[in-house]
């Protein structure tokens, strides 16, 4: 009898255990998608997938969130900056219209017989399999740091996308002289340049070096400058209305002297005048770049050619006053001097109408305020964001590829039959120096072989 009770007790415990297990886990679905039958009742219902019933929200550029997103997709670039690529499309379409293709013979740096006067600094560059290489460098005017800044900016744009190998292989020459066509004997010479004269359709305009960093520690990187301006603008609770009602300009009269002297003379003796020439020898009348944003009106003048100052002024909530321009820079087509979306005030190159323009703006503060607002909306908060510049670089690569008729060679064969890579990777090139102590003693840096003295 005792043995029978023990068996019954164990049987009862087993039944209770089985029922408990089915109660706890009967609602779990099979990993293959079919519902598991509960111990009592019908199969459990599978919840509807949320994504199938709710359409995906369209992406829209937001300056606060996306201005430093260097890796926007091509579709996002097109959506956020639809008018940014006009100059690049012009350059591509012009060459195609001329039935002109870039061939491998075009890929050479200038030699002495190609130009008159001082040599231009140049970089022979290749992008292959998503990697940036410098094939060769030619020293010349101006300081090579400008070229290094452009290459660093380009490198950032390349490496920011999820797979840089999705970019086409290209090869090109960068000319870092302010006037890329200056002294050149061939008027149809094709280069990547900071700017081009309006009557020169052959140059391809890239973002200037200021997009990486201004060559002065007081300004720092472009990103740092934008942060500084944001902090400065916060000092004005009522925005543009709180700023000083003057026209501000600083610059050297050593370059483009006629144009700049005309500005100084046109502004003289007016209540709204804060126009001063800089003397770099004794460093007088210098103004921190961000402090231009303290004025309601800021003047811009070309220098040797274009002037990189304008991108900084366009970060201010101020009214840009700009003379008729000779040079085209990468976002030049976005300037509007009239209409509901006017974003600057255009004056004559001799500044003879400056007084009339200033008097009109001061008398109509609503119009002036709207121009300043439109300037910041178009430039500071969209087309001059670092994200936009990265998009421009990648579009430049793609448009350039569309006019190339050769495939860049990753390797070359030496006279002894040895196969070697062409050029120096950017990661190595950026840290070259004339001498190295890497092996415990001073020795020539092998990277110097990439230069052409």
């Amino acid at each position: 009898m005792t043995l029978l009770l023990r068996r019954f007790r164990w049987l009862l415990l087993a039944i209770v255990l089985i029922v408990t297990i089915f109660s706890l886990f009967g609602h779990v679905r099979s990993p293959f998608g079919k519902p598991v039958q509960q111990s009592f009742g019908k199969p459990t219902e599978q919840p509807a997938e949320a994504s199938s019933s709710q359409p995906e929200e369209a992406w829209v550029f937001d300056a606060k969130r996306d201005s430093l997103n260097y890796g926007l997709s091509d579709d996002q670039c097109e959506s956020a900056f639809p008018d940014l690529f006009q100059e690049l499309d012009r350059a591509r379409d012009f060459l195609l219209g001329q039935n002109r293709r870039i061939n491998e013979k075009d890929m050479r740096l200038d030699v002495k017989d190609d130009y008159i006067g001082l040599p231009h600094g140049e970089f022979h560059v290749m992008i292959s399999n998503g990697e940036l290489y410098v094939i060769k460098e030619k020293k010349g005017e101006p300081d090579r740091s400008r070229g290094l800044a452009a290459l660093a900016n380009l490198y950032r744009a390349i490496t920011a996308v999820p797979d840089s190998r999705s970019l086409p292989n290209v090869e090109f020459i960068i000319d870092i002289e302010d006037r890329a066509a200056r002294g050149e004997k061939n008027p149809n010479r094709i280069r990547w340049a900071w700017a081009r004269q309006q009557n020169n359709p052959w140059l391809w305009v890239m973002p200037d070096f200021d997009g990486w960093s201004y060559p002065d520690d007081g300004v720092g990187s472009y990103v740092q400058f934008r942060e500084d301006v944001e902090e400065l603008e916060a000092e004005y609770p009522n925005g543009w209305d709180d700023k000083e009602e003057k026209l501000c300009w600083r610059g050297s009269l050593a370059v483009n002297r006629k144009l700049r002297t005309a500005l100084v003379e046109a502004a003289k003796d007016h209540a709204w005048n804060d126009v001063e020439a800089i003397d770099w020898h004794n460093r007088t009348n210098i103004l921190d770049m961000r402090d231009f944003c303290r004025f309601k009106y800021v003047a811009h003048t070309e220098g040797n050619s274009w002037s990189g100052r304008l991108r900084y002024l366009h970060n201010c909530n101020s009214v840009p006053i700009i003379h008729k321009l000779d040079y085209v820079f990468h976002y030049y087509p976005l300037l509007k001097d009239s209409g509901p979306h006017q974003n600057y005030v255009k004056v004559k190159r001799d500044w003879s109408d400056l007084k009339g323009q200033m008097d009109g703006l001061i008398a109509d503060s609503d119009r002036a305020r709207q121009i300043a607002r439109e300037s910041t909306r178009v430039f500071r908060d969209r087309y001059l964001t670092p994200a936009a510049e990265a998009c421009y670089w990648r579009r430049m690569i793609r448009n350039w590829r569309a006019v190339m008729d050769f495939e860049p060679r990753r390797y070359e064969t030496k006279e002894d039959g040895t196969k070697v890579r062409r050029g120096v990777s950017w990661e190595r090139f950026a840290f070259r120096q004339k001498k190295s102590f890497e092996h415990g003693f001073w020795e020539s840096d092998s990277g110097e072989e990439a230069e052409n003295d």
Side-chain angles (χ1 to χ4, degrees):
M1 185 65 180
T2 302
L3 180 61
L4 183 62
L5 288 173
R6 288 178 179 174
R7 290 178 177 176
F8 180 75
R9 188 183 300 127
W10 284 111
L11 179 61
L12 183 61
L13 288 173
I15 292 172
V16 171
L17 179 62
I18 292 172
V19 171
T20 301
I21 291 173
F22 272 90
S23 298
L24 291 174
F25 301 103
H27 68 282
V28 178
R29 291 183 296 176
S30 161
F32 300 102
K34 294 182 179 180
V36 177
Q37 295 286 342
Q38 291 183 337
S39 54
F40 305 103
K42 298 179 181 180
T44 56
E45 294 183 2
Q46 300 185 60
E49 296 292 334
S51 60
S52 63
S53 61
Q54 299 179 359
E56 186 176 343
E57 186 176 351
W59 179 85
V60 177
F61 178 82
D62 179 86
K64 289 189 177 296
R65 180 194 65 201
D66 301 316
S67 63
L68 290 177
N69 187 344
Y70 301 100
L72 295 176
S73 69
D74 289 347
D75 288 342
Q76 288 173 326
C77 289
E78 194 66 47
S79 171
F81 318 114
D83 299 321
L84 180 61
F85 313 111
Q86 296 177 61
E87 174 60 21
L88 291 176
D89 291 347
R90 178 215 62 81
R92 176 200 61 201
D93 295 344
F94 171 75
L95 288 189
L96 294 177
Q98 298 289 314
N99 198 27
R100 174 72 161 88
R101 296 280 182 167
I102 304 298
N103 55 59
E104 200 163 8
K105 292 181 180 179
D106 294 316
M107 296 297 105
R108 69 176 186 84
L109 302 175
D110 282 347
V111 295
K112 183 59 181 175
D113 290 341
D114 293 328
Y115 58 88
I116 300 171
L118 295 173
H120 296 196
E122 292 183 312
F123 293 83
H124 181 178
V125 183
M126 177 176 69
I127 299 171
S128 178
N129 202 29
E131 295 292 328
L132 181 64
Y133 297 90
V134 178
I135 305 299
K136 207 168 188 180
E137 176 187 3
K138 179 171 73 70
K139 296 291 183 64
E141 296 294 322
D143 187 283
R144 69 190 294 262
S145 64
R146 297 185 177 194
L148 297 179
L151 290 170
N153 209 1
L154 173 59
Y155 178 77
R156 180 167 62 187
I158 293 171
T159 56
V161 295
D163 184 4
S164 60
R165 294 169 297 181
S166 64
L167 293 169
N169 298 333
V170 293
E171 196 168 333
F172 51 93
I173 307 285
I174 290 177
D175 187 317
I176 65 171
E177 223 280 346
D178 285 352
R179 292 162 287 188
R182 182 187 186 189
E184 295 294 333
K185 296 179 180 179
N186 178 13
N188 300 340
R189 171 176 170 268
I190 302 174
R191 290 289 190 271
W192 289 24
W194 310 126
R196 65 175 181 87
Q197 283 188 291
Q198 296 195 37
N199 61 1
N200 183 346
W202 297 96
L203 295 175
W204 285 55
V205 180
M206 60 184 172
D208 66 73
F209 52 88
D210 292 301
W212 181 258
S213 179
Y214 187 79
D216 187 313
D217 291 342
V219 179
S221 73
Y222 183 54
V223 172
Q224 175 187 323
F225 170 78
R226 284 171 56 86
E227 291 176 349
D228 291 344
V229 168
E230 184 177 9
E231 293 174 1
L232 181 147
E233 295 284 5
E235 298 176 16
Y236 300 94
N238 299 311
W240 182 85
D241 292 284
D242 286 347
K243 296 187 176 185
E244 190 166 0
E245 195 163 50
K246 288 188 176 183
L247 173 67
C248 184
W249 179 84
R250 298 290 187 275
S252 170
L253 300 184
V255 295
N256 218 328
R257 185 175 185 84
K258 180 179 179 181
L259 174 73
R260 295 184 170 197
T261 300
L263 167 60
V264 173
E265 293 299 319
K268 187 180 295 184
D269 298 329
H270 294 294
W272 42 258
N273 176 34
D274 198 324
V275 172
E276 300 284 352
I278 292 176
D279 186 336
W280 286 110
H281 296 289
N282 57 27
R283 302 187 71 82
T284 56
N285 296 328
I286 293 176
L287 189 69
D288 285 347
M289 190 70 79
R290 73 175 202 150
D291 286 333
F292 286 95
C293 299
R294 298 189 183 279
F295 296 83
K296 286 186 176 181
Y297 309 97
V298 290
H300 172 71
T301 58
E302 290 179 325
N304 285 321
S305 59
W306 106 108
S307 173
R309 177 209 316 266
L310 188 55
R311 75 153 66 224
Y312 294 101
L313 299 182
H314 269 142
N315 275 274
C316 301
N317 181 20
S318 306
V319 178
I321 312 291
I322 308 173
H323 61 77
K324 185 178 184 300
L325 298 170
D326 275 350
Y327 283 83
V328 175
F329 38 89
H330 85 277
Y331 67 94
Y332 173 91
L334 296 169
L335 293 172
K336 295 187 181 301
D337 62 8
S338 61
H341 299 295
Q342 181 179 358
N343 51 41
Y344 83 106
V345 174
K346 184 178 180 179
V347 298
K348 298 177 181 178
R349 282 188 71 85
D350 64 2
W351 299 92
S352 59
D353 57 343
L354 177 62
K355 179 182 182 302
Q357 292 286 7
M358 286 298 302
D359 289 346
L361 290 167
I362 292 172
D364 190 351
S365 59
D366 288 341
R367 172 174 171 258
R369 186 187 305 106
Q370 175 57 29
I371 294 172
R373 184 183 298 119
E374 191 66 13
S375 175
T376 58
R377 183 189 71 83
V378 172
F379 299 113
R380 184 192 70 190
D381 296 338
R382 188 167 292 263
Y383 286 96
L384 283 180
T385 59
E389 200 149 308
C391 288
Y392 188 98
W393 280 112
R394 290 192 293 272
R395 178 65 166 263
M396 192 167 189
I397 293 169
R398 295 189 186 282
N399 276 21
W400 183 258
R401 180 66 202 192
V403 298
M404 287 177 57
D405 72 349
F406 71 99
E407 179 65 25
R409 295 178 291 107
R410 297 186 69 187
Y411 298 92
E412 60 185 356
T413 303
K414 292 187 174 182
E415 293 182 359
D416 61 2
T418 305
K419 184 179 178 182
V420 296
R421 282 184 178 271
R422 296 176 66 215
V424 181
S425 68
W426 167 250
E427 292 88 344
R428 174 68 188 96
F429 185 86
F431 289 94
R432 280 190 323 166
Q433 51 192 346
K434 290 186 176 180
K435 288 189 176 182
S436 169
F437 201 70
E438 184 66 26
H439 302 116
F441 58 92
W442 290 107
E443 58 183 329
S444 296
D445 190 324
S446 59
E448 288 290 306
E449 294 175 3
E451 293 183 5
N452 177 15
D453 294 329

